[in-house]
């Protein structure tokens, strides 16, 4: 592409805010398309991020060609319990999920962006964004103003850029997590295996994800029940004899799912990943959503950078919204149906997943990226069953 900013040294083609999976991918994509791209990150990489670090097949498929995943484990067994009871372990021969530490994974993705030509500036916290004619102006906490032809907000679930764009969410959840160091016999017991536990609060669940000599243990449930969520976390840890978490890193985090008609852009400013509220409502898997929306946002921002009139900018951002809604929006819609069923009939879901091979195979197909949730539910009988089960 012909870079507009090359004749204006203080004008970037694309500024990306946030160097998580969405931002690193958007920056790499825009840079690969020839854009002068600046990636702003408030932390210094590698930085800790509260996350299970489970890469489902859709995430792995969305990684750049030749990317070496800094993997800590490969999962081919899924244990499922219902409030720590009725545990059953399902196995497949080939691994379906890859475990990573997010600090290592995000730093590697950001390296791909800088190798493609993006400039990374760390310790820069963005305070606000505004549009001024044919440019967008990003203001940092230090009071610096940076100008670009297009901005991608990939600054996570507490996004400043999302406020500017007007992102609206219909599901906000509270997640609690602990990274627990474990002894070698425990390490061996969990190798290659994750645990999912359906929790006592409707729609809640817990997980144990192995990372070699650490286990990532967490629970998630709808925001608004902090005491019950904390109690569930404590019971969950106790049921696995992991209450002694003095040496564990513990943290809490909110996750957000957008309303289907929530905006994805305003003028020359786009949002991607958690900032856009793009997250699977049932499992709260968000890395594949961040990688896929980040790539689309990078392409869109590169196209906006060369757009001279407002009409072209609108057409370009409309196309971004269409693609996000067609692919990720459809996945979220179908996943929400599964969540509704799970909230009402957790035991039915548990029995189906643990006793009916046709259903447990679907879980493996989803985890491996062999099928999306809409594809898994894509038959009339399943849709009728979901509709009936979801009736008041
Ligand atoms: C407890 C928990 C467990 C999870 N487990 C999984 C899992 O196992 N698998 C999965 O797929 N998903 C999981 N998710 C979801 C996943 O973590 C997110 O969906 C994913 O991180 C979204 O990526 P992102 O790039 O949009 O945002 P983030 O990863 O949050 O990255 C945002 C970046 O922006 C930076 N930033 C923020 N504000 C500013 C600012 N103002 N200026 C500059 N920089 C800024 C941050 O420092 C950060 O580096 C989990 C979430 C939680 C809370």
């Amino acid at each position: 592409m012909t870079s507009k900013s090359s004749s204006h040294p203080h004008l970037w083609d694309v500024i990306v805010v946030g160097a998580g999976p969405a931002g690193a991918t958007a920056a790499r994509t825009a840079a690969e398309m020839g854009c002068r791209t600046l990636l702003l990150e408030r932390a210094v990489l590698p930085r800790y991020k509260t996350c299970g670090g489970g890469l489902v097949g859709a995430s792995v498929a969305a990684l750049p060609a030749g990317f070496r995943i800094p993997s800590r484990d490969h999962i081919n067994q899924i244990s499922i319990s219902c409030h720590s009871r009725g545990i059953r372990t399902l196995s497949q021969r080939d691994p379906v999920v890859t475990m990573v530490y997010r600090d290592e994974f995000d730093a590697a993705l950001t390296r791909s962006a800088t190798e493609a030509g993006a400039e990374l500036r760390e310790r820069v916290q963005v305070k606000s964004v505004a549009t001024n004619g044919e440019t967008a102006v990003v203001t940092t906490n230090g009071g610096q103003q940076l100008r670009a032809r297009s901005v991608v907000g990939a600054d996570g679930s507490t996004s400043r850029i999302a406020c500017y764009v007007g992102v609206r969410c219909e599901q906000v959840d509270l997640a609690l997590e602990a990274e627990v160091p474990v002894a070698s016999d425990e390490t061996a017991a969990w190798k290659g295996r994750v645990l999912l536990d359906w929790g006592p609060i409707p729609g809640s669940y817990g997980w144990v994800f192995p990372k070699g000599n650490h286990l990532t243990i967490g629970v998630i449930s709808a925001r608004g029940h902090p005491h019950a969520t904390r109690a569930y976390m404590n019971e969950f840890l106790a049921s696995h004899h992991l209450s002694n978490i003095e040496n564990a890193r513990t943290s809490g985090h909110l996750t957000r799912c957008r309303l289907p008609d929530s905006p994805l852009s305003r003028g020359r400013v786009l949002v991607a990943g958690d900032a856009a509220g793009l997250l699977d409502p049932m499992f709260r898997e968000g890395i594949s959503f961040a990688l896929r929306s980040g790539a689309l946002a990078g392409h869109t921002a590169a196209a906006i950078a060369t757009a001279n009139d407002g009409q072209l900018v609108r057409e370009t951002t409309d196309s971004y919204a269409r693609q996000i809604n067609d692919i990720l929006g459809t996945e979220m819609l179908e996943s929400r149906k599964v969540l509704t069923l799970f909230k009402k009939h957790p035991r039915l879901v548990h029995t189906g997943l643990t006793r009916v091979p046709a259903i447990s195979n679907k879980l493996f197909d989803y985890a491996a990226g062999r099928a999306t949730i809409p594809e898994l539910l894509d038959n009339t009988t399943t849709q009728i069953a979901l509709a009936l089960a979801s009736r008041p």
Side-chain angles (χ1 to χ4, degrees), residues 18 21-22 41-42 47 49 51-54 102 126 155 274 285-287:
E41 167 57 49
R42 70 177 170 194
R47 56 91 185 92
K49 161 79 178 84
C51 182
R102 283 293 302 276
V126 169
D155 45 343
D274 274 8
E285 183 276 327
I287 298 174

Side-chain angles (χ1 to χ4, degrees), residues 17-24 40-43 45 47 49-56 59 99 102 106 124-127 154-160 175-177 207 209 218-220 252-255 272-275 278-279 283-288 290:
V17 184
L40 302 175
E41 167 57 49
R42 70 177 170 194
L45 300 172
R47 56 91 185 92
K49 161 79 178 84
T50 303
C51 182
L55 300 184
V56 293
S59 296
M99 288 296 156
R102 283 293 302 276
D106 292 12
V124 178
Q125 181 158 5
V126 169
K127 207 172 88 184
D155 45 343
S157 67
T158 55
S159 169
R160 296 285 176 100
L176 302 175
E177 209 172 59
W207 60 90
F209 286 0
V219 302
I220 193 160
H253 200 84
L254 291 179
T255 64
D274 274 8
L278 292 165
L279 191 83
F283 289 108
R284 285 76 157 191
E285 183 276 327
I287 298 174
S288 82

Side-chain angles (χ1 to χ4, degrees), residues 99-371:
M99 288 296 156
V100 295
Y101 279 128
R102 283 293 302 276
D103 53 354
E104 297 174 346
F105 179 67
D106 292 12
L109 281 176
T110 301
R111 253 190 324 274
S112 302
T114 52
E115 281 164 12
E119 180 177 325
L120 168 69
R121 287 191 198 161
E122 296 164 300
R123 286 200 188 90
V124 178
Q125 181 158 5
V126 169
K127 207 172 88 184
S128 62
V129 65
T131 310
N132 184 359
E134 287 191 3
T135 61
V137 183
V138 166
T139 304
T140 70
N141 252 7
Q144 196 184 10
Q145 294 207 318
L146 298 159
R147 296 193 311 129
R149 304 272 302 163
S150 180
V151 168
V152 177
D155 45 343
S157 67
T158 55
S159 169
R160 296 285 176 100
I161 314 298
C163 297
Y164 175 77
V165 167
V167 173
R168 291 172 294 119
C169 292
E170 66 177 338
Q171 180 183 331
V172 182
D173 296 299
L174 169 66
L176 302 175
E177 209 172 59
E179 305 274 359
V180 186
V182 284
S184 54
D185 54 336
E186 201 109 36
T187 304
W190 285 101
K191 189 167 169 39
R193 178 168 72 95
V194 296
L195 169 71
L196 305 178
D197 178 67
W198 316 126
I201 311 158
S204 65
Y205 84 99
W207 60 90
V208 181
F209 286 0
K211 312 268 175 65
N213 56 3
H214 279 74
L215 297 176
T216 303
I217 302 184
V219 302
I220 193 160
S221 77
R223 182 173 64 170
H225 315 278
H227 299 300
T229 307
R230 167 63 55 201
Y232 174 34
M233 178 70 170
N234 291 339
E235 283 166 24
F236 190 45
L237 286 164
S239 68
H240 294 284
H241 313 289
L242 294 163
S243 304
N244 188 4
I245 55 165
E246 275 154 37
N247 297 323
R249 178 171 206 151
T250 56
S251 55
H253 200 84
L254 291 179
T255 64
R256 311 183 312 155
C257 295
R258 70 193 282 268
L259 277 159
D261 63 349
S262 173
L264 290 152
S265 65
R266 178 173 166 191
R268 292 174 175 267
V269 180
L270 310 163
V271 278
D274 274 8
L278 292 165
L279 191 83
D280 175 76
M282 170 66 206
F283 289 108
R284 285 76 157 191
E285 183 276 327
I287 298 174
S288 82
F289 284 77
L291 293 167
R292 293 180 290 167
S293 61
L296 285 172
H299 273 284
T300 307
I304 294 174
T306 55
N308 271 330
D309 64 278
Q311 176 64 22
L312 204 52
V313 171
R314 266 192 303 282
E315 282 168 17
T316 309
T317 52
D318 283 353
S319 161
Y320 176 61
R322 257 196 315 278
Q323 292 176 80
I324 293 283
N325 286 324
D326 285 354
I327 305 166
L328 306 184
T330 306
E331 288 181 28
M332 289 179 70
L333 212 65
E334 294 300 308
S335 175
R336 201 178 308 286
K337 289 182 190 166
V338 179
L339 177 65
T340 305
L341 173 67
F342 169 56
K343 274 182 176 168
K344 286 192 168 178
H345 306 286
R347 285 191 183 279
L348 181 72
V349 170
H350 180 67
T351 307
L353 281 171
T354 53
R355 304 278 170 186
V356 184
I359 298 179
S360 53
N361 285 340
K362 286 186 181 228
L363 179 66
F364 277 103
D365 285 344
Y366 158 75
R370 291 190 286 265

